[in-house]
Amino acid sequence: MKKFTLLCLVVLCAARPGFLAAAEEAAPLAEAVWKASGGENWPNVKTIDFTFAVEKGGQTLVSAEHHWDVVAQTDRVKWKGKDVTVNLADPATDEDGKAAYARWVNDSYWLLAPLKFKDRGIQFKAEGRKTIDGAECEVLLLSFDQVGLTPNDQYRLYIDPATKLLASWDYISEPGKSKHGTWENYQKSGGLTLATEHKMDEVEIKILNLKVTSSQ
């Protein structure tokens, strides 16, 4: 999952004319998804509170509470008996500091991925339309230009043509290896529109106790 630098511009790869054309075609759709998720309201966001939970077979495998002070660039994370506040601009290098930062990177991506479409080093490629989970979706392939903790990850994004919200994605950790996950149960808070449930095989990821405060 990737570090959040929302004000940076999308970087498009110019390796091949065909890729460049697909990237140029993808840009308006990526912008539409960002806007539908509340991207234009992000500058007003002050804090985000949420609990990231992973459940399987009725059992909770992971539970991490976050108090993210967006203005101060800190995140207080409580998980596995730990209570760590991480400086997101300059993460600590001790074991707990690195673990808390990794939790923020992962958990915030499941919460805010569409709002990170303007991060530095994000690349998009348009892939037309495809029927997935019984519905026709617009498709974008998202990749990274050597940024973040896992720069080789890719995501195939399936977008609702009517709402421009992310409906699901394929997480591609390496060529030929992917996991399909849904984006559903969208909630509005503090000017943002965020998915709070994701289903991947037998695992369910939930965003609980969501509260976004903003200046508006």
Side-chain angles (χ1 to χ4, degrees):
M1 304 301 176
K2 310 302 159 191
K3 186 175 180 180
F4 200 4
T5 314
L6 189 62
L7 297 181
C8 294
L9 297 176
V10 176
V11 178
L12 298 177
C13 177
R16 301 185 305 276
F19 189 98
L20 180 58
E24 290 176 343
E25 182 183 349
L29 180 55
E31 177 82 7
V33 176
W34 178 80
K35 286 184 177 180
S37 302
E40 293 176 314
N41 296 321
W42 178 258
N44 302 317
V45 173
K46 292 183 175 181
T47 64
I48 303 177
D49 289 276
F50 68 101
T51 299
F52 177 87
V54 180
E55 299 178 359
K56 182 178 181 180
Q59 293 186 331
T60 299
L61 305 181
V62 176
S63 180
E65 298 179 25
H66 293 265
H67 174 71
W68 179 5
D69 189 325
V70 177
V71 177
Q73 293 187 287
T74 62
D75 185 36
R76 182 180 181 183
V77 193
K78 297 180 182 179
W79 85 111
K80 293 184 177 180
K82 299 181 183 293
D83 186 342
V84 181
T85 298
V86 59
N87 181 342
L88 302 176
D90 185 20
T93 57
D94 63 283
E95 183 177 349
D96 284 350
K98 289 191 291 185
Y101 180 69
R103 276 256 64 93
W104 173 79
V105 170
N106 179 80
D107 302 354
S108 68
Y109 203 71
W110 281 102
L111 177 67
L112 297 171
L115 292 173
K116 301 185 181 187
F117 282 6
K118 294 193 176 186
D119 278 17
R120 175 181 58 85
I122 300 293
Q123 301 175 159
F124 292 101
K125 179 182 177 182
E127 294 191 338
R129 293 192 175 215
K130 181 179 180 179
T131 298
I132 192 79
D133 298 329
E136 185 179 56
C137 294
E138 297 175 282
V139 185
L140 290 176
L141 180 66
L142 183 157
S143 59
F144 305 93
D145 185 16
Q146 299 304 310
V147 295
L149 299 181
T150 51
N152 294 322
D153 288 354
Q154 293 186 333
Y155 297 86
R156 182 162 283 110
L157 311 173
Y158 301 104
I159 298 153
D160 185 321
T163 65
K164 300 304 180 186
L165 293 172
L166 185 58
S168 63
W169 70 13
D170 293 332
Y171 165 54
I172 307 167
S173 56
E174 59 185 70
K177 185 177 180 180
S178 67
K179 290 185 178 181
H180 184 69
T182 65
W183 283 66
E184 52 191 299
N185 192 15
Y186 276 86
Q187 296 182 15
K188 294 181 181 292
S189 184
L192 306 183
T193 302
L194 306 173
T196 60
E197 290 186 15
H198 310 280
K199 296 182 177 69
M200 297 181 66
D201 298 326
E202 298 177 354
V203 174
E204 187 169 3
I205 295 173
K206 295 182 179 180
I207 305 297
L208 306 173
N209 309 314
L210 175 64
K211 181 180 179 181
V212 180
T213 64
S214 70
S215 58
Q216 289 188 341

